[in-house]
Amino acid sequence: MTRPTVGLLYNPVSPLLIAQAPDLVEYLGVMPDRLWYDFGPNAQGRRFHRTLGAIDELRRCAEGRLTAGHGIGLSLPSAMPLDEAFVDAVAELAADIGFSWFSEHLSVFITPKGAVPNAQAGLGLPIAYDDEVYGIVAGKAARLRQALGCPIALENGAFFTPVPDPDMTEPQFLNRLHAEGRCETLLDLHNLYVNWRNGGETPEAYIAQLDPAAVIEIHLGGGDDFAGFYMDSHSSLTPEPVWETAFAHVAGFPNLRAITYEFQETYYEDLADGLIPELERMHELAETWAPRRRLAHAG
Amino acid sequence: MLADFQQALADLTASPELCMAVKIDPSLLMRRYQLTDREAGRLEGIVRHPGMACSCMVYRANRLAPLALNTPRLCKALGHDLRAVASDYWADHPQSNVHFYVEADRFCRFVRREIARGRSFGPEVGSALEIESAQVAAALRESHTEAA
Ligand SMILES: [Fe+2]
Ligand SMILES: [Fe+2]
């Protein structure tokens, strides 16, 4: 396996950044939910209307780059059947762009009565890490894998209120999904930092419980302080403590395929000067993967 | 049952008032939802968690996002009334729509209905509503990008 690729969660300003530094962006995480208008399951006529111009632009950017899908709308832990029309639409895009894997979130965005508002996947509802939810997630992940024909990963979320009285911890839940061949882990290191800043466990304690072989992608990103909490707003560069965690652990994830920076496009002007140095530092991070891995083999 | 647990958690996150009511009388949960004792206990724990205030805040911010993005003049013209109008709108339409233009279009219709019912707002609201509701309606039509 080669070293992990470095890239971005694709947004409308990504083409500008790619034009400035084409060689620094090797990978694109693509959110299908942002490439169509969803008129809902009760739509009269066609439900998903694709933003065709944006998809053309994405196709151009995706040329010569690794891509994977990153969805919100499937809400795998929801206690309701998988939205098969949504799966079909994702499968069509996956085939069109050539996703190497597809990730979703380990949180609830859809309830039986409707959608949980999320301006940018900011707030999904936390889930109970128990056998019942495990069964739902594992079953849907397997179905999704079959429909898309590529590996599936689930991303750890940022939560202000974990669900008490769990049967297992979140890393144990993710480990079990990996061990039983259902899906892999997208480890968002900034989300670990958010949870720690808001009173949760340290990123170190979390990673110590996680099977490193499960991790196929990591997310970097930044947030800001608001009303006494630290928010996962994707408004800033990756904070220093998150870099420290990344440099301490990247070499230990043997199946890592991508290191991804996510930012909200409305902050592009504020971030502009910092984005290329951010990508350069991500390449330095990716370089730490191979040498230590060779050493591990030698040992 | 799990579906009710998830719906209750969504409803609580949408409503600081419901959180407060549950804190005062936890049996309210069992009356409104079909929950196991464990699920009810988990919800009580969440409601008492200091982070719940933040979850509620982020929920409102995310629900406001499509309105602020697509009807910024209307939101500005509503000024201090925005808070109350948005709350009334959300009470009327408890489920958000993932299609931002559908959500903004519904909000414009709601404000128009409130005006028709005699609710009075600042002087700029009428003109802002006229301009932006037309823009949103046009964007909504254009979002039918493919043949039906
Ligand atoms: Fe995500
Ligand atoms: Fe993320």
Side-chain angles (χ1 to χ4, degrees), chain A:
Chain A
M1 208 172 128
T2 52
R3 73 153 175 78
T5 52
V6 165
L8 300 168
L9 194 61
Y10 187 84
N11 68 32
V13 300
S14 299
L16 300 174
L17 185 55
I18 291 169
Q20 280 180 59
D23 296 340
L24 292 180
V25 182
E26 303 163 326
Y27 163 78
L28 295 174
V30 176
M31 300 185 78
D33 312 61
R34 299 199 64 180
L35 292 168
W36 61 48
Y37 297 105
D38 180 359
F39 285 83
N42 302 323
Q44 291 175 342
R46 180 186 275 270
R47 171 176 167 187
F48 296 96
H49 286 253
R50 292 168 298 169
T51 52
L52 301 169
I55 293 175
D56 280 343
E57 191 169 37
L58 165 65
R59 274 196 210 101
R60 282 193 294 276
C61 290
E63 232 164 83
R65 296 191 166 87
L66 186 70
T67 62
H70 184 54
I72 313 175
L74 285 169
S75 192
L76 300 193
S78 295
M80 49 203 290
L82 199 56
D83 183 342
E84 289 289 345
F86 201 115
V87 173
D88 289 345
V90 170
E92 198 181 320
L93 192 70
D96 178 351
I97 307 296
F99 293 159
S100 292
W101 66 92
F102 183 81
S103 54
E104 256 285 348
H105 296 80
L106 196 51
S107 44
V108 167
F109 285 102
I110 311 279
T111 64
K113 283 204 221 147
V116 177
N118 54 90
Q120 43 159 324
L123 183 77
L125 301 174
I127 65 173
Y129 297 109
D130 60 19
D131 289 336
E132 185 180 13
V133 176
Y134 180 83
I136 291 171
V137 172
K140 288 186 192 170
R143 161 76 192 111
L144 198 53
R145 183 183 185 128
Q146 176 203 32
L148 304 186
C150 65
I152 305 301
L154 284 173
E155 178 180 8
N156 59 300
F159 302 119
F160 302 108
T161 54
V163 177
D165 184 24
D167 288 340
M168 53 196 130
T169 65
E170 186 178 278
Q172 285 168 345
F173 191 93
L174 289 165
N175 290 348
R176 187 170 161 194
L177 287 166
H178 169 72
E180 294 183 359
R182 302 310 183 105
C183 68
E184 311 306 324
T185 297
L186 191 175
L187 181 62
D188 188 316
L189 294 177
H190 184 250
N191 284 350
L192 295 185
Y193 177 71
V194 171
N195 291 344
W196 170 68
R197 285 281 308 268
N198 294 322
E201 68 185 332
T202 64
E204 286 302 322
Y206 185 101
I207 294 170
Q209 297 171 66
L210 191 65
D211 181 348
V215 180
I216 61 167
E217 180 175 358
I218 60 170
H219 274 178
L220 301 174
D224 47 22
D225 291 285
F226 183 74
F229 289 89
Y230 179 77
M231 315 295 268
D232 175 36
S233 49
H234 298 165
S235 59
S236 66
L237 299 173
T238 303
E240 211 48 46
V242 178
W243 280 116
E244 280 167 26
T245 306
F247 273 95
H249 292 284
V250 151
F253 299 138
N255 298 314
L256 186 63
R257 299 189 66 186
I259 300 170
T260 311
Y261 173 65
E262 32 181 1
F263 69 98
Q264 167 71 7
E265 66 269 17
T266 47
Y267 299 101
Y268 180 61
E269 305 262 291
D270 299 339
L271 295 172
D273 289 345
L275 291 174
I276 287 175
E278 186 87 350
L279 286 165
E280 286 169 344
R281 197 167 179 191
M282 289 163 71
H283 277 266
E284 286 167 28
L285 176 63
E287 287 300 328
T288 66
W289 184 84
R292 279 224 245 159
R293 183 163 158 74
R294 276 200 292 274
L295 276 180
H297 274 296

Side-chain angles (χ1 to χ4, degrees), chain A residues 37-39 46 49-50 77-79 111-115 117 119 123 125 128 130 132 136 160-161 164-165 167 229 231, chain B residues 2-3 6-7 9-10 13 38 42 46 49-52 54-55 57-59 62 95-96 99 143-148:
Chain A
Y37 297 105
D38 180 359
F39 285 83
R46 180 186 275 270
H49 286 253
R50 292 168 298 169
S78 295
T111 64
K113 283 204 221 147
L123 183 77
L125 301 174
D130 60 19
E132 185 180 13
I136 291 171
F160 302 108
T161 54
D165 184 24
D167 288 340
F229 289 89
M231 315 295 268
Chain B
L2 184 61
Q6 291 179 347
Q7 190 56 52
L9 184 52
T13 309
R38 190 184 197 193
R42 282 171 165 166
I46 290 173
H49 192 284
M52 194 55 184
C54 195
S55 292
M57 211 160 52
V58 174
Y59 180 99
N62 281 340
Q95 303 310 322
S96 70
H99 190 327
S143 71
H144 292 87
T145 57
E146 297 185 78

Side-chain angles (χ1 to χ4, degrees), chain B residues 52-133:
Chain B
M52 194 55 184
C54 195
S55 292
C56 292
M57 211 160 52
V58 174
Y59 180 99
R60 287 178 77 87
N62 281 340
R63 212 143 177 210
L64 199 59
L67 312 182
L69 209 66
N70 296 298
T71 58
R73 286 169 74 156
L74 177 58
C75 290
K76 197 170 171 217
L78 284 166
H80 290 308
D81 291 328
L82 176 62
R83 202 189 175 97
V85 174
S87 290
D88 294 345
Y89 168 66
W90 294 331
D92 219 47
H93 296 86
Q95 303 310 322
S96 70
N97 196 299
V98 293
H99 190 327
F100 269 26
Y101 296 141
V102 171
E103 182 78 25
D105 185 61
R106 263 188 348 193
F107 180 64
C108 289
R109 287 169 199 271
F110 177 81
V111 175
R112 183 167 291 126
R113 196 191 72 189
E114 290 299 290
I115 292 171
R117 284 178 173 176
R119 192 164 173 174
S120 68
F121 295 115
E124 309 288 314
V125 168
S127 60
L129 178 62
E130 202 172 308
I131 294 165
E132 289 187 333
S133 64

